[in-house]
């Protein structure tokens, strides 16, 4: 019952007009302390951001070489205290090409569906990867991002196979008994401008995040986690991965596959994710330096937004609504952001020297656009160590719809929590600039 309620809650984004939301008022589990959501900048308690360029034992850093050691310390903190450690064990997938269509979208490109089957410790998962590429004689750079509703939701084209996987219930009833129906074909096409991506010379690679780990709390019995349970283990330890860690693992496995696909330029993969999948793309990009560009679209709390501001969604709220996203240790910081030994500017800095892009939406106050901007700004000094441009000297947030494209990209656009054509135009422009200086 509790799981079901949490399910529903996960789609409730408190209206920005609300000054406070109480989980008690929603009659959920009874937390010891009421969960208050602040939207008022003047109520933010003074906070100090953990240092980026000072090591755990107090040494200041002024070279790339020293930063690369410091990088390891920071990565360890995020692994042990927030997203949880990813297992090192390598499980080789069985790779099966399910479908290839040489000509789709009126000759604009081709598509392929590839199933990656991982089997271990008596468990199996299938990750179905959809690859749509423009016509090209050379390997194609790609955007890679997980989707929320199955590959068939990203475009109405009939060639994409309808997902058979477990789905969350949908508001428009295009999911029945937790299975997708034909009515869901193309449902998220507004978020995936496939033609525009292809016409700009990029491919699109996507997979359904639920193939890696279904997004509900079942104590990690389904999805990727049990593949790594051996010797009587039946759940992750408190410093081991949650669902975000699982989804990030899946992205790295897709990258492994792309490295074997000669149609794809696997050295130019721009990883992108929206919202919980934006949190995921940042964590994947931090751990796996093969991703050439990392893009966070409205990732908010647990993604690009600073925790210590405690405005909009906060640590206790995210850990209560989504107990499975982060590791057990992260619960220690419920109502205690001031004691966090790290913050999200440090996560963004882990992308350096690779380009990173943070995008916010004006009405998305739940995700704290200002906190996203400040984290992107505060990551800047690491880029500067590499001699790269950053937004560290921006004293104010840019105007809406006025993107800044240094090696650290940032924009805030008008509108709500979403991925729009405007966002994609910026990402394509940014990738062109970063990959080819054009
Ligand atoms: C909820 C959650 C956010 C998350 C979002 C999403 O609103 O509170 O943290 O980013 O869902 O993934 O859609």
């Amino acid at each position: 019952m509790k799981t079901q309620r949490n399910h529903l809650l996960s789609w409730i984004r408190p209206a920005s007009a609300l000054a406070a939301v109480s989980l008690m008022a929603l009659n959920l589990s009874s937390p010891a302390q009421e969960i208050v959501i602040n939207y008022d900048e003047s109520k933010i308690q003074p906070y100090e951001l953990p240092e980026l360029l000072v090591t755990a034992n107090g040494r200041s850093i002024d070279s790339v070489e020293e930063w690369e050691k410091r990088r390891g310390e920071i990565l360890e903190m995020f692994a042990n205290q927030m997203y949880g450690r990813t297992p090192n064990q390598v499980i080789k997938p069985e790779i099966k090409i399910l479908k290839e269509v040489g000509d789709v979208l009126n000759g604009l490109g081709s598509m392929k569906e590839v199933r990656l089957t991982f089997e271990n410790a008596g468990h199996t998962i299938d990750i179905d990867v959809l690859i749509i590429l423009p016509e090209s004689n050379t390997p194609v750079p790609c955007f890679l991002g997980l989707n929320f509703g199955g590959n068939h939701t990203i475009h109405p084209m009939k060639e994409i196979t309808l997902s058979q996987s477990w789905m969350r219930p949908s508001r428009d009833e295009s999911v029945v008994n937790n299975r997708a129906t034909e009515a869901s074909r193309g449902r998220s096409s507004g978020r995936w401008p496939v033609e525009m991506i292809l016409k700009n010379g990029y491919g699109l690679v996507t997979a359904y995040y639920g193939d890696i780990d279904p997004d509900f709390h079942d104590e990690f019995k389904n999805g990727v986690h049990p593949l790594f349970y051996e010797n009587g283990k039946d759940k992750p330890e408190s410093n081991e991965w949650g669902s975000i860690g699982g989804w990030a693992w899946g992205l790295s496995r897709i990258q492994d596959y792309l490295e074997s696909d000669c149609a794809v330029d696997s050295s130019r993969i721009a990883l992108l994710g929206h919202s919980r999948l934006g949190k995921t793309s940042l964590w994947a990009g931090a751990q796996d330096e093969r991703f050439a560009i990392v893009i966070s679209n409205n990732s908010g709390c647990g993604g690009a937004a600073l925790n210590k501001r405690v405005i909009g969604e906060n640590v206790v709220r995210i850990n209560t609504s989504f107990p499975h996203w982060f590791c057990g240790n992260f619960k220690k910081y419920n109502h205690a952001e001031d004691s966090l030994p790290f913050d999200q500017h440090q996560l963004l800095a882990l992308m350096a020297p690779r380009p990173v892009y943070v995008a916010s939406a004006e009405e998305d106050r739940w995700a704290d656009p200002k906190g996203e901007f400040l984290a992107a700004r505060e990551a800047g000094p690491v880029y500067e160590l590499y001699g790269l441009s950053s937004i560290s000297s921006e004293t104010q947030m840019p105007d809406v719809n006025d993107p800044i494209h240094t090696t650290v990209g940032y924009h805030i656009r008008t509108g709500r929590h979403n991925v729009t054509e405007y966002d994609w135009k910026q990402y394509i422009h940014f990738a062109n600039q970063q990959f080819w200086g054009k």
Side-chain angles (χ1 to χ4, degrees), residues 9-14 148 274-277 279 298-301 313 317-318 321-322 325 366 417:
L9 182 71
S10 63
W11 293 107
I12 302 173
R13 294 182 74 82
F148 282 91
H274 170 61
S275 209
R276 67 197 71 186
L277 297 177
K279 309 180 208 303
N298 306 179
S299 63
C301 179
E313 187 173 28
R317 172 62 199 264
I318 203 165
S321 322
F322 308 100
W325 282 4
W366 184 237
H417 184 73

Side-chain angles (χ1 to χ4, degrees), residues 220 248 285:
F220 305 107

